[in-house]
Structures are given as structure tokens and as C-alpha cells.
Amino acid sequence: MAKTIEQISAGGIVFRKLDDRFDVALIARTSPRRRVIWALPKGWVEPGETIPDAALREIREETGLTGRLLEPLGQIGYSFYSPEDGARIQKTVHFFLVEYLSGDTADHDHEVDEARWWPLDTALAQMTYQSERQVMEKARHRLLAPTLHQSS
Ligand code: ATP
């Protein structure tokens, strides 16, 4: 049986408030079967890096956007077989709610095909992974709650 490697990743939901709605940023990747995957920005926590810092760095790299971390949105887990590692990867991804400060989605890195702002409800319909959709639902709930502290 293949060995299992545990990996910790971090990412987030970057939002901006427009007059009558919230927009959130998603990234697009192409699957091995040439299907477009719309997902949340996320990635590895580097050695010596905190999980929140990793979330902000991954968001910056994958979407071109910088933001202010507001609060944790919980974690998801999934596993897959990695041929390069010859092992099953058991991944835990920590997500955070992040308020957009600056930057442009055109400045995403080469690891993603595209980064794009979506109206929150359209993003929910567009997202590939059910577990990430649940994180987005949680963010939606928080954003629509009257108590969330925002700078704008
Ligand atoms: P990273 O550098 O961000 O870790 P990666 O491509 O190595 O990127 P993942 O994005 O975790 O790693 O993708 C690895 C596998 O897990 C792919 O087959 C992908 O489709 C699948 N995957 C990614 N996110 C989820 C999820 N939320 N639920 C289920 N499977 C997922």
C-alpha cells in the first residue's frame, strides 16, 4: 500500500464591496482532462511561515491581490495520489476571510491560467469543489452579518 504524506496549505476568500454586492476572487486552472477548474487561491505553508502569512502570500501570488486578513473560515481536507511523491497526499487547507486592499488580477502568477473577480453568488455557482463552496457559504454568511468589522 502507498505511504501517506500529510500536507498543510493555506488560502482565502478575498472580497471587495461594491455598491450593492460583494465580489470575490477565484482562480482558474486546467485539469489533466482539459476541464477548467475554478477554485480558491491556496498553497503550501513554507517552513518557518505562519498559516495566516502563507494564506496572504498565496493569495498575492495566485490572484495578484493584496489584502487584510479578517478572520479564519475553518479548514477542509482531501486526499489524492501523487505520482511524483509515489504517495497518497492527505491535505488540510486553512482558509481565511480577506478584505481586498490593492492589486490587479492581471498580475497572477504563471501557476494559474486566470484570476478573476466574480459576484459572490455567481462564484458559488462557478466553483468546482463542494468543500470550497461550503467555505464560500460561510464567508457569505459572515459578509452579510451586521457585526463584521470592515475598514470601508
Ligand atoms: P498546490 O501547490 O496549491 O498545493 P497542487 O496542484 O499541488 O497545488 P491541489 O490543488 O491540492 O494541489 O490539487 C491536487 C489534487 O487535489 C488535484 O487532483 C485536485 O483536483 C484535487 N483537489 C484540489 N482541491 C480539492 C478540493 N477542495 N476537494 C477535492 N479535491 C481537490
Side-chain angles (χ1 to χ4, degrees):
M1 207 170 83
K3 62 177 175 168
T4 299
I5 300 173
E6 292 194 12
Q7 277 182 9
I8 306 290
S9 283
I13 294 179
V14 194
F15 71 92
R16 65 180 181 189
K17 190 172 185 334
L18 301 182
D19 287 345
D20 60 344
R21 64 160 207 255
F22 289 99
D23 276 358
V24 293
L26 297 182
I27 57 161
R29 282 194 165 122
T30 309
S31 77
R33 292 189 196 166
R34 314 300 303 160
R35 205 165 61 98
V36 178
I37 292 171
W38 282 101
L40 294 174
K42 57 126 185 76
W44 273 78
V45 179
E46 304 281 356
E49 189 178 40
T50 66
I51 290 175
D53 282 350
L56 289 175
R57 176 183 53 73
E58 287 289 344
I59 287 167
R60 198 171 58 245
E61 292 174 1
E62 293 195 335
T63 67
L65 307 174
T66 62
R68 185 170 71 96
L69 198 142
L70 293 189
E71 60 183 55
L73 290 170
Q75 60 202 58
I76 65 168
Y78 55 89
S79 66
F80 57 94
Y81 181 73
S82 162
E84 302 109 64
D85 297 299
R88 194 150 192 88
I89 308 294
Q90 176 65 53
K91 200 177 268 206
T92 302
V93 191
H94 298 257
F95 284 108
F96 297 87
L97 186 60
V98 174
E99 183 180 24
Y100 169 68
L101 290 178
S102 63
D104 193 311
T105 50
D107 296 327
H108 67 79
D109 69 11
H110 64 277
E111 286 190 20
V112 306
D113 298 332
E114 186 182 350
R116 198 194 291 182
W117 287 110
W118 295 89
L120 199 153
D121 287 336
T122 315
L124 272 169
Q126 192 70 27
M127 293 169 75
T128 299
Y129 301 116
Q130 172 65 17
S131 55
E132 292 192 357
R133 208 173 296 124
Q134 283 170 357
V135 178
M136 185 65 81
E137 288 282 11
K138 195 166 173 186
R140 183 173 183 275
H141 188 75
R142 291 298 297 126
L143 288 170
L144 298 178
T147 52
L148 181 74
H149 171 71
Q150 290 169 41
S151 60
S152 59

